[in-house]
Amino acid sequence: MKLDLLYEVDVPKPWSKPHPHGQREAEQAAYREAIAQIRLADEMGFHTSWHVEHHFREGRSHCSAPEVLIGALSQVTERIRLGFGVTLLPHAFTSPVRVAEKVATADVLSNGRVEWGTGRSTPMEQTAFGVDIPQSKDQVREAIQAIVEAWQSEYFSFEGKHWRFPAAGNVPVRMVTPKPVQDPHPPCWMAASSTGSAQAAGAMGLGLLSLSIMRPLEQMAETIQLYRRAAAAAQPITRVVNNRVAAYTLVHCADTMAQAEANGIWDATWWWYRNLAEFTLEWEFPHASEQEREKMFPILEQRRNAPPDPRQFSDADMIIVGDPDECLRKMLRYAELGVDRLLCYVQFGRLSHEAVMRTIELLGTHVIPELERREVQVSTSVTAT
C-alpha cells in the first residue's frame, strides 16, 4: 500500500474579515499552505497528491480548478504523482476535448506524473451546470471513451449518443493537442460512493477511487471485494487496465496523542463531519426522513441530546489519528482490506499549517519506510515461494 494525499483546500468559516477580504485572504493562505505541504510530501516519499474539482462548497472544497493547481505543483515537485480527483465528465460541465487537453497538458508539464480520476459530482453542482442527471452515468462512460480516442488519434472526430465532435464529411480534421507523455495515456480512475458504482468501475477496467468516508471498515471491505470480482471479468474502456483501489480518510499524526489533541484534532474532525453531513442532507437527500437522516449521520442527530464525540470514528479506525506507531497500526488495517493507495486527508478544519506539516513529516520518516519494508518482505517471500 502506498500513501497519497487528498486536497480539497478547506477554508473554514467564519473568516476573520467581512466579505470580500476575509474570504480572499483565507483562500490565498490555504493555497499557499497546500503547496508547501505537497512540496514537503514530495521530499518525504508520498506517492500521489490528488486534487478535487468542486464548485460552490463554501468553507470546504475551494478547489474548483485542479488543473491550475496541478500545473503549479508540476513545477515545484519532482517525484510525487499528481492526481485529478476528479475531472467532472457529464457533458454540461465541460467538453471531453477540453478534459483531454487539460489532463494531457498537466502530464506534459509534470513529465508524465498524472493520474486521471473521473466522476459525476453531486446534485448541487449538476443542477447549477444544467447536467442531465439521469443520463450522467452514460455520459461519463462516453466521455472517457472520447478522451482516450482524442489522445490516441492524430486527427479526431467522435459520434456518440450524447456528444459528438465534428468531422468534415467522414474525415476527422481537428488535431487535439497536446498528447500526454504517458504512453498510451495516464491511468484512469472512477470515483465511487456506492457498491454499484464500484462494481461499474471494476467492470470497465478503471481504478476505484472510494470516496465514502465515516463508514465501518467492514463495509469498505465488502465494496472492495465486489470491485475485485467485477475487475476480474472487466471489459476495459481505456487502453490502460487499472485494477487498483484508492480509499481516503482523515489522517492526523503527531508525536504523541496528547499533542494531536492539543492541535485540535477533535474539533477539526467534528467540523469536517458536520460540514459533510449538512451539505449532503441539504443537497443530496433533502427529503430524507428523520430515521434516514439519523442512519446516515448519527452523530449529527445525537448532538441534540449530548455533546458530539468524534473519537468514536478513531476508535473504529474510520479515521487515522495518533502517534506514528498508532497511525501505522490503523493503516495496516486498510492494507489488509485490499487498499492499494491510502489517500490521507490532512488539511481540514482549523488544524494549523505547522501541525499538518508535522503530520506529513512523521508519516514520511516513520510510516512510509515501514510500509516499504513490509512490501519488500512480501515480495521477497513470494519470489522465494
Side-chain angles (χ1 to χ4, degrees):
M1 186 178 73
K2 307 293 185 183
L3 290 195
D4 293 0
L5 296 174
L6 175 68
Y7 274 82
E8 299 203 41
V9 189
D10 288 356
V11 189
K13 297 177 75 174
W15 298 314
S16 61
K17 296 179 182 179
H19 183 79
H21 303 293
Q23 178 182 353
R24 292 178 179 180
E25 290 179 7
E27 288 172 336
Q28 291 162 28
Y31 270 91
R32 285 194 301 269
E33 291 172 357
I35 290 174
Q37 292 159 14
I38 295 158
R39 291 183 69 178
L40 176 61
D42 182 41
E43 298 172 7
M44 292 289 104
F46 281 76
H47 189 274
T48 303
S49 180
W50 295 85
H51 303 277
V52 306
E53 179 185 343
H54 276 311
H55 306 274
F56 323 122
R57 294 194 180 184
E58 58 184 278
R60 181 170 153 254
S61 299
H62 285 237
C63 186
S64 55
E67 65 273 19
V68 179
L69 180 55
I70 288 172
L73 289 168
S74 73
Q75 301 305 292
V76 297
T77 59
E78 296 180 0
R79 294 169 295 277
I80 194 168
R81 293 182 66 80
L82 302 169
F84 286 85
V86 301
T87 54
L88 301 180
L89 293 189
H91 301 321
F93 281 118
T94 187
S95 162
V97 165
R98 291 290 295 120
V99 176
E101 291 169 340
K102 67 185 183 182
V103 173
T105 300
D107 205 45
V108 170
L109 291 174
S110 66
N111 194 27
R113 288 187 280 142
V114 162
E115 301 278 335
W116 174 37
T118 64
R120 293 191 298 148
S121 188
T122 62
M124 180 197 194
E125 294 165 314
Q126 291 169 340
T127 53
F129 283 87
V131 170
D132 185 341
I133 296 176
Q135 300 296 328
S136 60
K137 287 185 179 180
D138 287 343
Q139 290 184 9
V140 167
R141 181 188 181 99
E142 183 176 82
I144 292 171
Q145 293 172 314
I147 291 163
V148 171
E149 287 188 26
W151 286 332
Q152 179 178 338
S153 304
E154 182 176 10
Y155 294 95
F156 173 67
S157 66
F158 189 83
E159 190 73 23
K161 177 181 177 182
H162 305 281
W163 182 81
R164 60 193 61 178
F165 191 74
N170 293 320
V171 181
V173 294
R174 292 173 175 84
M175 178 183 291
V176 177
T177 62
K179 306 301 186 189
V181 171
Q182 295 177 80
D183 187 11
H185 59 78
C188 186
W189 303 72
M190 176 174 282
S193 57
S194 68
T195 55
S197 52
Q199 288 175 296
M204 290 186 283
L206 308 179
L208 171 62
L209 285 175
S210 179
L211 299 183
S212 296
I213 195 171
M214 306 301 195
R215 60 174 180 160
L217 294 191
E218 293 76 16
Q219 291 183 13
M220 179 183 293
E222 180 183 356
T223 299
I224 292 173
Q225 290 172 2
L226 292 171
Y227 166 78
R228 298 290 190 199
R229 289 179 198 146
Q235 295 183 343
I237 65 169
T238 76
R239 296 181 64 200
V240 179
V241 177
N242 185 15
N243 184 359
R244 290 176 292 175
V245 173
Y248 93 113
T249 189
L250 305 184
V251 176
H252 187 69
C253 188
D255 292 274
T256 64
M257 189 63 201
Q259 183 60 57
E261 293 185 333
N263 292 341
I265 181 56
W266 304 127
D267 287 342
T269 301
W270 170 240
W271 173 87
W272 194 93
Y273 179 86
R274 186 182 67 241
N275 190 292
L276 172 68
E278 292 175 348
F279 174 87
T280 302
L281 293 173
E282 178 181 359
W283 288 102
E284 297 191 47
F285 300 98
H287 305 300
S289 67
E290 287 298 315
Q291 288 181 329
E292 290 171 328
R293 293 169 64 92
E294 185 171 353
K295 184 177 180 181
M296 285 186 283
F297 296 102
I299 289 185
L300 189 69
E301 300 304 310
Q302 292 168 10
R303 70 173 175 159
R304 298 174 180 174
N305 304 315
D309 186 6
R311 289 173 178 81
Q312 64 184 273
F313 296 129
S314 181
D315 293 341
D317 295 343
M318 288 187 279
I319 64 174
I320 296 172
V321 175
D323 63 22
D325 288 340
E326 179 67 1
C327 288
L328 175 63
R329 182 193 70 77
K330 291 172 177 284
M331 288 176 174
L332 289 174
R333 286 201 65 191
Y334 286 76
E336 290 166 359
L337 296 180
V339 173
D340 301 295
R341 305 278 192 81
L342 184 62
L343 280 55
C344 302
Y345 196 128
V346 295
Q347 186 201 52
F348 61 96
R350 294 195 177 277
L351 292 171
S352 71
H353 174 55
E354 292 73 22
V356 175
M357 293 286 276
R358 186 59 176 159
T359 287
I360 293 170
E361 182 181 17
L362 288 171
L363 294 177
T365 56
H366 292 78
V367 176
I368 290 176
E370 181 61 20
L371 290 174
E372 291 176 345
R373 185 186 69 81
R374 289 168 182 260
E375 183 176 349
V376 168
Q377 285 184 335
V378 171
S379 299
T380 303
S381 174
V382 171
T383 302
T385 301

